[in-house]
Amino acid sequence: MPSYKLTYFDIRGRAEVSRYILAVAGVDYVDERFTEEEWPKIKPTVKNPFKQLPCLEIDGKVFIESLAIENYLAATFGLHGNNNYEKYQIDMVSSAVTDLIEKYMIAAFETDEKRREVSRNNYLKFLPVWLKATEAIFQSNKFEYLVCDRLTLADLQFFCGAEYLVDDDEHVFDNFPSLKVLFDRVANVKEIAEWRNKRPKRDY
Ligand SMILES: N[C@@H](CCC(=O)N[C@@H](CS)C(=O)NCC(=O)O)C(=O)O
């Protein structure tokens, strides 16, 4: 088994989907985490040429860009779909989750009260559209999981994003019960449940 080291900040953020994939695949890896205070010193030394995180090393080979890393890991550990169409759907779900969570984070980290309100409204306007669209994808596929008959990267993307939504509003799925079923189904995957239990508890 190659050696894996995933380097990121001490949060879920852009590394958590990769951590979920590694958990589901049963891969032992170094979960290297830096604090914000340590970052200015570390930044010039990181192996990512863009000087950002996350950064994954596999036997010393450097992988960067969170979505590309997730795709690489999903392909390596059989979490892509069964065909090109399912792979397209996984990519589509990943992009849509990224869009939503970016809006959520912009609002969450805005320090100016007025701008925060504008950003928060922008997020709240998109949220029901996103929920409806995601539910429609799930229902039209008629599988137990989002895009096919087994857990894929799409479910992990959905779940990882949805964790923020549920933290923010425990009633977020009240009008979207099938998404609640999907959320709970992913939460109950043994390796996911184990990782959530043992991982450092972080807000983001
Ligand atoms: N497109 C990149 C964005 C990476 C990124 O923005 N990383 C942030 C943390 S989430 C970072 O390294 N910030 C510190 C810095 O840029 O100095 C990815 O998805 O990996």
Side-chain angles (χ1 to χ4, degrees), residues 145-194:
Y145 289 97
L146 200 41
V147 304
C148 75
D149 50 4
R150 60 192 167 80
L151 184 87
T152 68
L153 174 58
D155 302 292
L156 298 178
Q157 293 281 10
F158 161 77
F159 183 74
C160 216
E163 284 186 293
Y164 293 113
L165 310 186
V166 173
D167 285 351
D168 185 60
D169 172 9
E170 61 179 329
H171 297 292
V172 69
F173 293 136
D174 281 4
N175 295 324
F176 301 90
S178 66
L179 292 184
K180 172 80 170 93
V181 169
L182 179 63
F183 184 86
D184 290 343
R185 185 166 291 146
V186 178
N188 284 321
V189 171
K190 185 173 143 280
E191 296 83 0
I192 300 280
E194 283 170 0

Side-chain angles (χ1 to χ4, degrees), residues 8-9 14 39 43 51-54 64-67:
Y8 192 55
F9 295 98
R14 292 184 203 261
W39 178 238
K43 183 170 166 117
K51 302 298 173 197
Q52 289 186 317
L53 299 176
I64 60 167
E65 286 297 325
S66 54
L67 291 175

Side-chain angles (χ1 to χ4, degrees), residues 90-129:
I90 292 169
D91 288 342
M92 180 259 288
V93 167
S94 298
S95 294
V97 172
T98 305
D99 280 351
L100 178 72
I101 298 307
E102 266 177 19
K103 290 186 198 323
Y104 175 76
M105 291 297 177
I106 287 171
F109 285 95
E110 178 56 68
T111 50
D112 178 89
E113 206 178 315
K114 279 231 164 75
R115 283 205 298 260
R116 186 169 57 245
E117 200 185 318
V118 172
S119 307
R120 178 79 185 165
N121 285 339
N122 191 31
Y123 159 71
L124 289 174
K125 212 166 121 193
F126 187 53
L127 177 63
V129 179

